[in-house]
Amino acid sequence: MALAVLAGPLAAQTPPDWLRAQVESARLGTGYAQMVNLSATPDLSAASYRIDADGPDAKLDLLRLPYESRWLALAPETDLYWKLAAGYLRFRETFSYASQAGAGGSIASRWSAYSVTGGLVAKVRLGSGVTLEPALDVAIARLDNRATYSGDAAVLQPLLGGLVFNWDTNAWLATPSLGLAWRTGDADGRANVRGHVARSWIGSFGETDPVQHFNEAANIYSARAEYAAPTGLHAFGGSLDWVAFGGYSGFFGPNRDVLGFSSVGELGAGLELPVAPDRASPDRWRLSAAYLAGPGVRGWTIDVSLQY
């Protein structure tokens, strides 16, 4: 994320009112909102990313722990599910600083977001393996920043502390979304294709300083396809399957590249084992690895997950 207030050298005598005006005009809240959004929405894969933007390189780490379960039947072809998820995001970026004397320094900044999300999703079976999935999620989140100053950049700490760096805020999210999935398969193999689009409204409260306040909207989409088939091996009473998958995720709207990238593709493979082999359509444990890449971004992940 680019910080316009650090684009040029700042001296210790910079007037605080002038600096506050620069921070407010930079509209940093769009980036803060996107960080909170990524911690709470599932479209971008949980992974470690390196962002090679025009400004300082950044590192993004995502971790999620989701769970969902069938609640009740709304109609013969419609079931309502409840879901819960915990999410974590870490975004790291280092900014260089050159003083008027020509010496140098840097500011190593780390944003961390923590979220808890709950929601409902209706799964409407349309026939031929196609399912429509409208959903609504609400979340509460915490976003904080911690920064360390080195070299001549230490003179900026009294000016930027609590304003640009080293602050905390809370946030809420409301996210309606729509998914469309197609599944088919038999004992010889299974295929799954799914598309998803979501819009989140995100607002902050309890900020360290009012300059950190944001009230934004963020849009995200994803498409994913996978195929699984038996390996011929068995473990714990179930068939051990191999799985290959690919996907593409991204943001859309006016602030789609606020974090330095707007889309990323994914290719991966893994192994699956049913949780309850005696069920007709059992949930499955999956161990997988994937590589991710897109314009200005690349990443990787090793994942253990429960597939519903």
Side-chain angles (χ1 to χ4, degrees), residues 132-260:
L132 186 68
E133 302 176 354
L136 176 64
D137 296 303
V138 294
I140 193 76
R142 177 80 168 173
L143 177 67
D144 64 52
N145 176 272
R146 297 294 178 264
T148 56
Y149 300 76
S150 63
D152 280 6
V155 300
L156 301 176
Q157 187 167 359
L159 298 171
L160 303 182
L163 192 66
V164 177
F165 302 115
N166 293 313
W167 50 263
D168 307 90
T169 187
N170 303 306
W172 57 265
L173 298 88
T175 306
S177 65
L178 184 64
L180 186 65
W182 174 75
R183 294 185 179 184
T184 187
D186 52 28
D188 295 325
R190 307 182 310 276
N192 183 16
V193 179
R194 186 175 187 269
H196 187 254
V197 63
R199 179 175 177 86
S200 296
W201 284 271
I202 310 143
S204 65
F205 63 96
E207 304 90 350
T208 298
D209 188 285
V211 78
Q212 289 122 27
H213 177 74
F214 54 85
N215 195 344
E216 301 283 344
N219 309 299
I220 193 168
Y221 66 89
S222 63
R224 187 179 179 91
E226 57 185 51
Y227 183 80
T231 63
L233 303 175
H234 290 76
F236 303 102
S239 171
L240 185 65
D241 296 347
W242 61 265
V243 59
F245 55 87
Y248 197 80
S249 304
F251 314 105
F252 63 97
N255 301 317
R256 60 185 177 274
D257 57 355
V258 69
L259 295 183

Side-chain angles (χ1 to χ4, degrees), residues 4-5 18-28 211:
V5 295
W18 176 85
L19 178 59
R20 178 177 293 275
Q22 290 295 306
V23 174
E24 291 176 346
S25 67
R27 298 193 68 243
L28 302 181
V211 78

Side-chain angles (χ1 to χ4, degrees), residues 82-154:
W82 62 269
K83 52 182 179 174
L84 290 173
Y88 170 73
L89 171 145
R90 181 177 63 181
F91 192 93
R92 292 171 290 168
E93 198 166 7
T94 299
F95 303 93
S96 300
Y97 169 75
S99 68
Q100 291 180 342
S106 65
I107 303 173
S109 181
R110 184 191 74 242
W111 290 266
S112 299
Y114 313 83
S115 67
V116 177
T117 304
L120 296 173
V121 55
K123 299 189 178 183
V124 185
R125 294 179 291 278
L126 302 178
S128 302
V130 178
T131 304
L132 186 68
E133 302 176 354
L136 176 64
D137 296 303
V138 294
I140 193 76
R142 177 80 168 173
L143 177 67
D144 64 52
N145 176 272
R146 297 294 178 264
T148 56
Y149 300 76
S150 63
D152 280 6

Side-chain angles (χ1 to χ4, degrees), residues 13-67:
Q13 66 270 22
T14 304
D17 291 343
W18 176 85
L19 178 59
R20 178 177 293 275
Q22 290 295 306
V23 174
E24 291 176 346
S25 67
R27 298 193 68 243
L28 302 181
T30 58
Y32 302 155
Q34 192 68 279
M35 292 180 193
V36 172
N37 186 46
L38 285 181
S39 76
T41 54
D43 292 86
L44 200 68
S45 294
S48 293
Y49 299 86
R50 185 177 181 91
I51 303 167
D52 305 314
D54 292 337
D57 289 352
K59 294 181 180 179
L60 169 66
D61 299 302
L62 287 174
L63 176 65
R64 296 191 191 92
L65 297 173
Y67 182 78

